[in-house]
Amino acid sequence: MKILVSGGAGYIGSHTVVQLVAAGYDVVIVDNFSNAHPTVLARMESLTGTSIPLHSFDLTDHDKTEHLFATEDFDGVIHFAGHKAVGESVEKPLDYYENNLGSTFSIVRAMQRYDVDKLVFSSSATVYGEDQAAATEDRRTYATNPYGWTKVMQEQILRDVAVAAPHMRFALLRYFNPVGAHPSGTIGEDPSGIPNNLVPYIAQVAVGKREKLMIFGGDYDTVDGTGVRDYIHVEDLAAGHIAALKALEETDEAVHTWNLGSGKGTSVLEMLRAFEKAVGREIPYEIVARRPGDIATSYADPTKANAELGWSTKKTVEEMAADTWRWQSQNPEGFAG
Ligand code: UDP
């Protein structure tokens, strides 16, 4: 089985590539390095002991995408590539729509032209808008920012394609909050600039790159007033993609939607405490105003994925913190270090 992994040099993509190779798949990566570092390839190759073909181009380029499909005989695609920063999407909506929708158009057109029928798509809990507590897959989807709308729209596009091409198979994977790193500490999340997300921010405070964590809001209606999220270890998330790919090989249904989360909520302060335990010292923080657009609580109901994929999360919040810390402390400057 030969699988094209778009965005395979990125955070979730790279962890999934390593697991795909370990599971016996041939993997080909496409990545334009808009939010990834070339060093990751050598790290993936060292973890897998194989050479991994990588094509560096922009997937919105239809001709280059079709050329790749013409020269390789893919059995399926895992499509991670896309812009993902909520705040940036508000500033640059056209960039987000053009890039995220455009790359999906290229990939699906090339799949149709070259008879590739299985696609696993990176969606997000963001498609539940403000209704993310105990979210089940049948909940109505809508978004509160352009990034989120690109996910809602891409899901809709794939559903429409499935009606027109009923032999195709699509898995729409709605991720909750991916965190953690490979247990080796050699690959992990490497955000450019100031991290938007909680765990990379805590990691940079812990390693001394930032002064203190700003906790966005201490007065939510939650266990301790701070925001609650469903953190999922990137290794569990990667395993979810392989389970979804296998499920697509066996199913008669064209489109499947699966939440990938633990089903458990963790507050900002609880995550901070787990990190302090991993690091072995206190991490400075200050509670400041809420971040505009944030919701109090988000966690998956993962029952459907558990039952239909035979998959569930295995790793604890403590392991998420320990693995993130191993990655961050071994690579204080990320891949560029
Ligand atoms: N958060 C925070 N400080 C930060 C970044 C995030 O307090 O520097 C909080 C945020 O308000 C939310 C939680 O951490 O309650 C997770 O935020 P993140 O941006 O990682 O994920 P998302 O909001 O997209 O679920």
Side-chain angles (χ1 to χ4, degrees), residues 80-97:
F80 291 105
H83 294 335
K84 62 172 186 180
V86 172
E88 187 183 53
S89 79
V90 176
E91 307 290 320
K92 302 175 182 172
L94 291 177
D95 287 0
Y96 271 65
Y97 288 115

Side-chain angles (χ1 to χ4, degrees), residues 107-129:
I107 286 173
V108 179
R109 277 192 193 281
M111 288 176 69
Q112 294 201 309
R113 179 137 182 220
Y114 293 96
D115 278 329
V116 181
D117 60 0
K118 287 179 282 297
L119 177 73
V120 177
F121 175 66
S122 296
S123 189
S124 164
T126 193
V127 302
Y128 299 120

Side-chain angles (χ1 to χ4, degrees), residues 23-337:
Y25 290 90
D26 283 338
V27 176
V28 175
I29 296 173
V30 174
D31 204 298
N32 67 355
F33 294 99
S34 65
N35 190 23
H37 196 280
T39 305
V40 72
L41 186 65
R43 303 276 179 95
M44 288 189 277
E45 291 186 336
S46 140
L47 284 171
T48 57
T50 55
S51 129
I52 302 168
L54 187 149
H55 300 267
S56 182
F57 65 85
D58 194 317
L59 284 157
T60 58
D61 186 327
H62 291 228
D63 292 340
K64 285 184 180 157
T65 306
E66 296 231 345
H67 179 74
L68 178 65
F69 277 75
T71 52
E72 302 265 11
D73 195 9
F74 295 124
D75 297 292
V77 178
I78 304 183
H79 179 27
F80 291 105
H83 294 335
K84 62 172 186 180
V86 172
E88 187 183 53
S89 79
V90 176
E91 307 290 320
K92 302 175 182 172
L94 291 177
D95 287 0
Y96 271 65
Y97 288 115
E98 199 163 284
N99 182 73
N100 289 6
L101 273 56
S103 59
T104 295
F105 292 147
S106 284
I107 286 173
V108 179
R109 277 192 193 281
M111 288 176 69
Q112 294 201 309
R113 179 137 182 220
Y114 293 96
D115 278 329
V116 181
D117 60 0
K118 287 179 282 297
L119 177 73
V120 177
F121 175 66
S122 296
S123 189
S124 164
T126 193
V127 302
Y128 299 120
E130 294 186 318
D131 309 317
Q132 292 186 26
T136 49
E137 289 85 349
D138 54 3
R139 212 165 270 188
R140 112 188 136 103
T141 59
Y142 71 101
T144 58
N145 57 73
Y147 159 73
W149 280 115
T150 71
K151 294 297 180 190
V152 174
M153 289 178 186
Q154 286 173 97
E155 286 198 358
Q156 186 60 44
I157 289 163
L158 297 176
R159 286 179 201 286
D160 292 342
V161 171
V163 171
H167 66 285
M168 294 186 80
R169 297 288 177 266
F170 297 97
L172 312 179
L173 303 184
R174 294 177 178 163
Y175 311 160
F176 281 70
N177 287 60
V179 299
H182 191 275
S184 66
T186 60
I187 60 173
E189 187 170 12
D190 183 15
S192 54
I194 302 169
N196 293 309
N197 295 113
L198 177 67
V199 169
Y201 202 102
I202 297 177
Q204 291 198 5
V205 174
V207 84
K209 285 185 76 174
R210 317 230 165 247
E211 188 195 339
K212 60 181 168 188
L213 171 69
M214 304 294 178
I215 296 184
F216 301 140
D219 58 353
Y220 284 108
D221 183 15
T222 60
V223 58
D224 56 22
T226 66
V228 165
R229 296 291 182 271
D230 185 341
Y231 297 97
I232 171 170
H233 196 296
V234 66
E235 289 281 288
D236 282 332
L237 186 56
H241 288 73
I242 295 178
L245 192 58
K246 289 196 176 126
L248 291 190
E249 286 161 26
E250 290 157 13
T251 181
D252 294 329
E253 269 176 63
V255 183
H256 292 268
T257 309
W258 288 301
N259 284 340
L260 297 186
S262 70
K264 183 178 169 298
T266 300
S267 76
V268 174
L269 279 170
E270 287 167 344
M271 180 54 85
L272 183 72
R273 299 299 174 222
F275 223 91
E276 289 180 331
K277 205 170 137 199
V279 176
R281 60 186 148 75
E282 288 192 1
I283 295 171
Y285 71 92
E286 184 184 341
I287 295 182
V288 299
R290 292 180 179 190
R291 182 170 63 179
D294 271 358
I295 55 175
T297 301
S298 167
Y299 61 93
D301 180 337
T303 309
K304 189 166 176 281
N306 297 164
E308 295 177 7
L309 298 176
W311 167 93
S312 58
T313 61
K314 302 269 180 297
K315 303 219 179 214
T316 61
V317 168
E318 283 67 32
E319 289 173 285
M320 299 175 202
D323 290 341
T324 303
W325 178 235
R326 192 173 304 107
W327 153 251
Q328 183 73 58
S329 52
Q330 288 177 18
N331 304 272
E333 302 302 325
F335 288 110

